Amino acid sequence: MIEPARLAYATDGTPYSASYDDIYHSSEGGLEQARHVFLRGNGLPERWRGRQHFTILETGFGLGLSFLATWQAWRADPQRSARLHFISTELHPFNATDLGSLHAYWPELAEFAQQLQDAWPPLTPGFHHLLLDEGRVTLTLLLGDALMTLPQLCGQADAIYLDGFAPQKNPQLWSPQLLAAVTQHAAAGATLASWCVAGEVRSALAAQGWQIRKQVGFARKRHMLAGSLPGTFSHAAPSHAIVIGAGIAGCSMAEALARRGWQVTLLEQHAAPAQEASGNPAGLLHPMLAKDDNLAARFSRAAYLYALRLLEHLGHDQVQWQACGILQIAEDEADAAAQQISCRQFPPDYVDWLDRSAASAKAGVPVSAGGCWFPHGAWVNPRDLCTALLEVAPSRIDTRYHCTVARLKYSNGLWHAYDANGASITAAEHLILANATAASTLLPDLHLSLRSIRGQLTYLPQTKLDGLNTALCGAGYAIRTDAMSLIGASFVEDDSSSEVRVSEHSENLAKLARMLPAFEALASQPRLDGRVSFRAASHDRMPLVGPLPQAKLKVQHTLANLPRQPGLHALLGFGARGLSWAPLAAELLAARLTNEVLPLELSLTRALDPARHHLRWQRRNT
């Protein structure tokens, strides 16, 4: 549970923390302090010029002034890097309303501050990956104790902002342990700056290899600290990738790479994107919950919040979607008790528990039980989303339809894709499989452990669910769009038939009646339309995201030392949660390919590693 900061001011009007009995910035001016100490102390803007991307790591986000000052300076520099990635830790973040009140004191930052406030997440623990400035600026917030979050960070920064309350007020943030964790995420040639010149801080940094020096401080403070590490940065130029599959996973992957300047060849066997499971008229966007907030729940939370911000960025003009809120109706008393425990871990703007009466009032119709209320939960048209993703940087995405890949071959540093006649389709340094269970056919030796799950939707006229104000899930799900109502969905393993079945319509309507008793009569509808699609799920229900392993291994390995196939990657196994999970999964894989700091905790990236199933198969069969 994250405890928000409380808005307070010192007698001179400087923002103040009662928890630490200290001010957030110099009383002579927070913005000027940020520019003098952190930007000039790190040689900015000069150091980011000519770079493809530049990464900054900060300890202590506070009011966000250092971030806003950096963003403003980056935008004003015509020679700036193509992209800016800012990572910051914070144990007690402000809520969006208080941030708005604080930022009002700096009207020159209004444009940037408003974007930040609009993207500000619910205050839940973990990593929050925000896309700003049309995707050119990324802010990754690490909410929680920095001693816990920094070891979960994967990647290296070019510049370090050492900030936070004074060492005597908040000693943990200046401890040798934390400074060592910061140093682990510093790239060769990185710089650092801080207003703090305490002797123990200088000694701890010097012990980590930093070359430390004092510089002229800000305002009444005589000195500040600057430092550097030996070495030079390695510049990774944009490359070329093949993505197979133009569903939500493949389109998300194409967008994430194209936004980074890569050229992408997107191969799709159908005549248009989103023709398989991503072709349903609407799908639900909401997270999973767990009493123990396990790995699946944590990944689901991060991915859901990222997907919501992506939709806000794309806008309603391009994508049909509605943040109508989603009620997850408890299926029985045990489920209701578990939901209540789960909901108590989070603020109500993320999820709240409603009893039956309150849930019915929110839904607009009587529901069968209480449940979890996701106020920002949404339904989304997946085809619209896929199309919009491909339009973000269309000049960098070569989309080829009616193109079925029958064979892959790696030769001379390139992956080659061939059709059924043996003709070459294209070749590139990197290849990403986003083609669901078809990936297993192309790579049968890898034991991807993907299974196909048949799902049938039931279509109803919109008027059949009159009065329903929200989307529902639980025993099944119900979505009321502007054009129709969708009830779903069946769940049948190892069934390849695409026939629409009356029995599965009846099953879907029975699930609806369990959630909405007043609509029980719908189960006797004489004739119904629907749609069948097939989801690809892994055996542990977590997706497969990352580099693929060598197929034939003679000795046992771990994920850390497992040999990987050069340039070959998976983006597979999203089951029924592609809408929620695929955009952040693609962002994760794109960050890997471009050698950026990853947007997810290390424990989560390991849980998503596609080699985990292959290792399990090897252990069983050795």
Side-chain angles (χ1 to χ4, degrees):
M1 189 78 169
I2 295 293
E3 181 184 341
R6 289 171 290 179
L7 185 60
Y9 299 92
T11 54
D12 64 356
T14 305
Y16 167 81
S17 169
S19 300
Y20 293 96
D21 187 26
D22 202 0
I23 54 177
Y24 276 93
H25 59 72
S26 169
S27 57
E28 278 80 11
L31 182 56
E32 293 79 7
Q33 180 187 32
R35 289 167 175 161
H36 179 90
V37 174
F38 297 116
L39 274 84
R40 293 174 197 161
N42 278 286
L44 302 174
E46 292 81 9
R47 289 189 58 242
W48 60 43
R49 290 175 177 166
R51 300 281 296 271
Q52 189 62 31
H53 65 85
F54 192 85
T55 303
I56 296 168
L57 172 61
E58 175 188 51
T59 57
F61 188 77
L63 317 183
L65 271 184
S66 297
F67 167 65
L68 294 173
T70 303
W71 183 5
Q72 183 189 48
W74 178 85
R75 174 85 77 76
D77 184 6
Q79 301 177 62
R80 62 184 177 266
S81 57
R83 291 180 301 109
L84 176 68
H85 191 178
F86 197 99
I87 303 136
S88 188
T89 67
E90 184 56 59
L91 178 58
H92 298 301
F94 285 100
N95 61 42
T97 301
D98 288 346
L99 275 184
S101 299
L102 291 161
H103 293 162
Y105 287 93
W106 295 278
E108 63 268 45
L109 298 175
E111 175 193 355
F112 308 99
Q114 190 60 58
Q115 281 195 55
L116 175 61
Q117 293 157 33
D118 290 344
W120 197 247
L123 301 184
T124 61
F127 288 18
H128 296 263
H129 195 62
L130 316 183
L131 294 183
L132 303 163
D133 209 331
E134 298 183 352
R136 294 183 292 262
V137 173
T138 306
L139 171 62
T140 302
L141 292 167
L142 282 53
L143 298 189
D145 187 338
L147 288 170
M148 302 295 290
T149 59
L150 279 175
Q152 288 289 315
L153 191 65
C154 185
Q156 296 180 312
D158 304 294
I160 309 292
Y161 293 2
L162 288 180
D163 203 357
F165 298 113
Q168 65 270 28
K169 305 287 187 178
N170 186 15
Q172 281 192 316
L173 205 57
W174 303 93
S175 67
Q177 181 184 359
L178 187 131
L179 296 176
V182 167
T183 304
Q184 288 179 355
H185 300 301
T191 61
L192 68 78
S194 178
W195 54 266
C196 176
V197 292
E200 60 270 25
V201 172
R202 300 200 312 270
S203 298
L205 288 170
Q208 292 295 324
W210 290 93
Q211 298 170 357
I212 299 298
R213 62 192 180 277
K214 289 183 180 180
Q215 294 184 174
V216 176
F218 174 71
R220 290 177 293 177
K221 192 164 179 59
R222 185 177 177 184
H223 293 120
M224 58 168 277
L225 206 63
S228 61
L229 288 176
T232 57
F233 74 91
S234 57
H235 184 83
S239 187
H240 178 207
I242 301 167
V243 178
I244 302 178
I248 186 64
C251 292
S252 295
M253 191 73 248
E255 185 274 337
L257 289 175
R259 179 164 29 91
R260 289 165 166 83
W262 282 44
Q263 292 297 318
V264 179
T265 302
L266 181 62
L267 306 180
E268 169 56 48
Q269 63 180 337
H270 295 293
Q275 297 300 298
E276 298 282 348
S278 299
N280 289 337
L284 291 182
L285 190 65
H286 70 100
M288 294 170 54
L289 295 177
K291 290 189 294 184
D292 60 351
D293 200 31
N294 58 29
L295 290 170
R298 286 162 49 200
F299 170 66
S300 179
R301 175 166 69 248
Y304 157 72
L305 293 173
Y306 178 81
L308 280 176
R309 290 188 290 267
L310 179 64
L311 285 167
E312 292 284 359
H313 169 67
L314 294 172
H316 290 273
D317 292 340
Q318 289 187 283
V319 184
Q320 184 187 23
W321 68 284
Q322 184 180 355
C324 57
I326 294 176
L327 270 171
Q328 183 175 343
I329 304 298
E331 297 189 41
D332 51 38
E333 290 186 5
D335 188 28
Q339 286 186 357
Q340 291 180 66
I341 294 171
S342 299
C343 288
R344 283 199 291 267
Q345 303 175 69
F346 304 107
D349 61 342
Y350 175 69
V351 64
D352 201 7
W353 164 260
L354 303 180
D355 62 21
R356 181 180 179 183
S357 175
S360 297
K362 190 72 71 175
V365 294
V367 297
S368 59
C372 299
W373 168 241
F374 299 96
H376 301 291
W379 63 260
V380 184
N381 183 312
R383 287 188 181 179
D384 281 0
L385 179 55
C386 288
T387 301
L389 290 169
L390 297 181
E391 289 299 318
V392 169
S395 64
R396 299 193 188 104
I397 302 175
D398 175 17
T399 308
R400 303 186 190 180
Y401 299 115
H402 299 294
C403 189
T404 301
V405 178
R407 185 170 65 90
L408 300 173
K409 181 182 178 182
Y410 185 70
S411 175
N412 297 322
L414 297 176
W415 280 98
H416 299 260
Y418 298 92
D419 65 17
N421 297 318
S424 175
I425 300 172
T426 188
E429 298 94 327
H430 299 274
L431 188 144
I432 297 103
L433 295 167
N435 54 340
T437 54
S440 297
T441 304
L442 290 173
L443 298 169
D445 294 335
L446 277 186
H447 309 285
L448 296 174
S449 299
L450 292 172
R451 51 185 176 168
S452 178
I453 300 172
R454 169 190 158 95
Q456 178 175 309
L457 277 175
T458 298
Y459 297 163
L460 294 174
Q462 187 208 39
T463 54
K464 292 293 186 180
L465 293 184
D466 272 348
L468 181 62
N469 299 326
T470 71
L472 299 178
C473 64
Y477 66 83
I479 305 171
R480 190 167 182 253
T481 74
D482 297 336
M484 67 173 75
S485 294
L486 288 81
I487 313 302
S490 61
F491 189 97
V492 186
E493 296 186 46
D494 303 321
D495 185 336
S496 60
S497 172
S498 58
E499 174 193 9
V500 176
R501 297 169 179 161
V502 173
S503 60
E504 289 179 43
H505 281 321
S506 299
E507 177 187 334
N508 287 342
L509 292 174
K511 291 176 181 177
L512 175 68
R514 287 172 59 185
M515 298 185 293
L516 299 176
F519 293 89
E520 186 174 3
L522 290 175
S524 60
Q525 290 290 302
R527 182 175 178 180
L528 294 166
D529 291 326
R531 184 178 189 271
V532 173
S533 61
F534 298 90
R535 316 144 180 150
S538 70
H539 283 292
D540 60 8
R541 304 297 177 88
M542 291 286 276
L544 281 60
V545 184
L548 285 162
Q550 296 285 353
K552 297 178 181 179
L553 303 170
K554 296 182 179 180
V555 297
Q556 291 286 351
H557 292 275
T558 66
L559 287 177
N561 65 14
L562 182 68
R564 309 286 174 145
Q565 300 200 46
L568 184 62
H569 311 271
L571 194 64
L572 301 164
F574 294 98
R577 294 186 176 270
L579 268 177
S580 299
W581 289 358
L584 182 58
E587 184 74 0
L588 170 65
L589 184 47
R592 277 189 181 278
L593 290 170
T594 51
N595 198 29
E596 299 174 22
V597 176
L598 302 186
L600 276 175
E601 295 95 320
L602 184 59
S603 58
L604 296 182
T605 64
R606 288 171 176 164
L608 303 177
D609 194 318
R612 65 189 190 272
H613 294 307
H614 189 75
L615 283 179
R616 186 179 64 179
W617 177 88
Q618 185 191 35
R619 285 193 296 268
R620 286 203 313 260
N621 292 276
T622 299

